[in-house]
Amino acid sequence: MSLLSLVLTLRPRQAAELPSALGRAAHAALLAAIGRVNPALAQRLHDEAGPRPFTCSSLLGIRQAGAVTPDLTYTLRYTALTAELAEVLPGLFPPGEAEVELDRVAFAVEAAASEAGEHPWAGHSRYEDLAARWLLAQERPEAQISLHLASPTAFKVGGKVQPFPLPELVFGSLLEKWNAYAPLAFPEETRRFAAECLGVSRFELGTHAAPFKGEGVVKFGAVGTVTYAALNRDRYWLSLIHVLADFAQFAGAGTGTTMGMGQCRRV
């Protein structure tokens, strides 16, 4: 197993007001948990340049007047893109034993889901299995692909931030992460195919802020659903696009995926 999406069910120890965006706190909590069992791995993840082999969501759930309360549960999701991290991640948060601290508020871990049937965002796979599903299929891939952007999703383009999920930005981002960690790289021309042969056929999107606590920075990104239609149905190239669409559940899309942004999966 080299790909893992772990969804934690958390209950706060006490009522507390928290910022709306806790992606950075979730990031810090993950590295702290890894550091307790494998300090060298935690340091590598902290220092690594380029695409990181993990993502973090923000804290999800209902707030009461901006506060989390012990009578409600909340969810937090972490993903791993390497076998090393996928092996470590489940043992970091044993239900009934572990705590997660977010912005100095302690949450008890009540459940941890890593099977697709346990939670819509949970699951695990291997790069080879994602690729084989489409590249070895007998039927021609479908011409349409829909993605749900669950947290603000944006892309860095020429020093600017682009919040609209153009196909070459979404699948170019996924291609970069795939080629960074998969045992078999996909051709760079996949990005060109997305730019020239995929179009946006339908979207229901809004623009949401993703404030980063303590930095005075607010990033904006798209949230909602977008559907891409293939203008060229070449079987090989379209199969690669479908593989990357499945990969999105683990990799996220765009910038800030280790800080709560770009949570994304196929509809």
Side-chain angles (χ1 to χ4, degrees):
M1 179 178 66
S2 48
L3 296 167
L4 177 68
S5 176
L6 180 70
V7 180
L8 303 178
T9 300
L10 307 178
R11 189 180 298 275
R13 297 291 192 188
Q14 61 187 47
E17 291 189 15
L18 284 171
S20 59
L22 287 167
R24 180 172 289 280
H27 176 117
L30 176 63
L31 293 188
I34 295 172
R36 288 191 285 270
V37 298
N38 190 333
L41 175 59
Q43 192 63 48
R44 290 205 316 272
L45 294 175
H46 180 273
D47 297 340
E48 193 159 359
R52 303 286 182 89
F54 66 95
T55 75
C56 306
S57 76
S58 188
L59 185 70
L60 306 176
I62 298 173
R63 309 285 184 95
Q64 297 181 349
V68 297
T69 62
D71 57 325
L72 296 174
T73 60
Y74 301 82
T75 58
L76 185 67
R77 188 172 78 109
Y78 292 118
T79 71
L81 305 183
T82 64
E84 180 184 28
L85 188 54
E87 183 178 343
V88 169
L89 190 55
L92 299 177
F93 305 105
E97 302 175 26
E99 276 193 352
V100 176
E101 184 176 303
L102 302 174
D103 202 37
R104 296 188 296 278
V105 175
F107 290 78
V109 178
E110 294 199 344
S114 59
E115 298 288 342
E118 296 174 332
H119 190 279
W121 284 86
H124 57 82
S125 188
R126 301 186 307 157
Y127 287 95
E128 297 88 340
D129 294 335
L130 291 187
R133 178 188 174 192
W134 296 102
L135 293 174
L136 300 182
Q138 298 300 313
E139 298 82 13
R140 187 182 299 273
E142 295 178 6
Q144 291 196 336
I145 295 173
S146 295
L147 297 178
H148 174 55
L149 313 180
S151 67
T153 303
F155 307 86
K156 293 181 180 178
V157 182
K160 299 179 181 179
V161 175
Q162 166 61 270
F164 192 81
L166 295 168
E168 62 268 31
L169 299 180
V170 172
F171 292 99
S173 166
L174 294 168
L175 177 68
E176 183 181 10
K177 284 194 175 182
W178 179 277
N179 285 351
Y181 298 108
L184 178 64
F186 288 168
E188 284 297 323
E189 288 82 359
T190 308
R191 191 190 308 264
R192 181 178 174 184
F193 178 85
E196 297 180 358
C197 301
L198 293 182
V200 176
S201 62
R202 186 170 63 253
F203 63 88
E204 296 180 9
L205 297 170
T207 304
H208 288 238
F212 282 74
K213 182 180 182 296
E215 293 185 354
V217 175
V218 177
K219 295 183 179 180
F220 290 87
V223 174
T225 304
V226 57
T227 299
Y228 304 99
L231 310 177
N232 178 337
R233 295 194 63 183
D234 179 275
R235 177 173 174 176
Y236 172 71
W237 295 107
L238 190 51
S239 293
L240 296 185
I241 294 296
H242 275 275
V243 175
L244 294 176
D246 287 347
F247 181 54
Q249 177 176 352
F250 304 99
T255 186
T257 56
T258 65
M259 302 289 182
M261 295 183 68
Q263 296 279 300
C264 173
R265 68 183 176 103
R266 180 198 287 267
V267 177

